[in-house]
Amino acid sequence: IGINVAVGVWEFCVIPQKQVGAYTLAPDLVLTRFEWWRLITSVYFHSGIIHLGVNMSSMIAIGTALERRLGSIRLFFYILYATPMSGLVHCLLAWLSIPIFDHRFMYEHSLGFSGILFAVLVSESWRSDSTRSVFGFFQVSAKAYPFVLLIGIQILIPNISFLGHTAGLFIGFFEVFGFFFMFTTISNYYC
């Protein structure tokens, strides 16, 4: 959260708005021009103070629950791995979508921490047997909650990055089902 807020202050106070595009995740630029820094910078830049505030509030709510289960060090390493991996999965999904959507998702610019939030949400909710409230309207099982939230948010805010959030879901499942072998080894060693 501290890194996001620090980058947000720098972004909103120092960087001209028209230059923020140099830090967004654009799959075409990552895959064809090898602008790999975008896999990291896009996670920590936000479209505005409200975007940053909503993401950090969500991280406090979801992240603290997962931190109680995993511990601070495991959560730190998880976010450390999830940051570039979510961008790589996003780029892969954009590339795989070319036959269906042409190059629409390849040229889309996205930014924000919400892909990581979806990864953390999957990791937390799949460790729970409870139910979750969807915007206060109805209850769903904890395991279904990330999918319902993805669809609900996409309907309510159609211009957000569907692939960015979906990439986060994939990263969450990679963690839940043990595909982060190195992550598990490191965190078990230090915990």
Side-chain angles (χ1 to χ4, degrees):
I1 293 174
I3 293 171
N4 270 288
V5 171
V7 170
V9 168
W10 179 60
E11 172 189 359
F12 303 139
C13 296
V14 177
I15 298 177
Q17 186 64 32
K18 62 184 175 184
Q19 290 181 1
V20 171
Y23 304 100
T24 59
L25 179 63
D28 178 60
L29 298 176
V30 171
L31 298 174
T32 62
R33 294 189 186 172
F34 309 107
E35 296 180 3
W36 298 104
W37 68 85
R38 293 175 179 273
L39 298 173
I40 307 294
T41 59
S42 63
V43 171
Y44 298 101
F45 278 75
H46 290 80
S47 63
I49 194 93
I50 293 173
H51 185 204
L52 176 64
V54 168
N55 277 354
M56 294 307 96
S57 298
S58 299
M59 185 59 188
I60 290 170
I62 300 164
T64 52
L66 186 60
E67 186 175 17
R68 278 187 235 116
R69 293 172 187 264
L70 295 182
S72 299
I73 293 173
R74 280 185 175 176
L75 182 61
F76 171 77
F77 280 115
Y78 180 31
I79 291 171
L80 190 66
Y81 283 112
T83 297
M85 291 300 292
S86 66
L88 285 172
V89 170
H90 183 145
C91 291
L92 177 64
L93 292 172
W95 181 74
L96 291 172
S97 75
I98 291 173
I100 300 167
F101 296 104
D102 198 23
H103 286 81
R104 175 182 169 220
F105 292 116
M106 289 295 290
Y107 299 122
E108 180 181 83
H109 287 251
S110 60
L111 70 165
F113 202 71
S114 52
I116 306 300
L117 287 171
F118 269 90
V120 170
L121 178 63
V122 168
S123 297
E124 192 279 323
S125 64
W126 274 67
R127 288 175 167 84
S128 174
D129 293 326
S130 64
T131 61
R132 304 290 164 85
S133 172
V134 179
F135 307 118
F137 292 114
F138 57 93
Q139 298 282 321
V140 296
S141 75
K143 290 179 175 59
Y145 184 68
F147 299 104
V148 174
L149 191 63
L150 174 68
I151 293 166
I153 289 174
Q154 196 66 39
I155 290 169
L156 291 173
I157 313 168
N159 290 329
I160 60 172
S161 177
F162 178 75
L163 289 188
H165 296 156
T166 304
L169 289 178
F170 276 100
I171 298 303
F173 284 114
F174 291 164
E175 189 277 326
V176 166
F177 293 113
F179 292 110
F180 280 124
F181 296 118
M182 186 176 172
F183 159 75
T184 305
T185 304
I186 288 173
S187 59
N188 285 340
Y189 178 77
Y190 288 107
C191 291

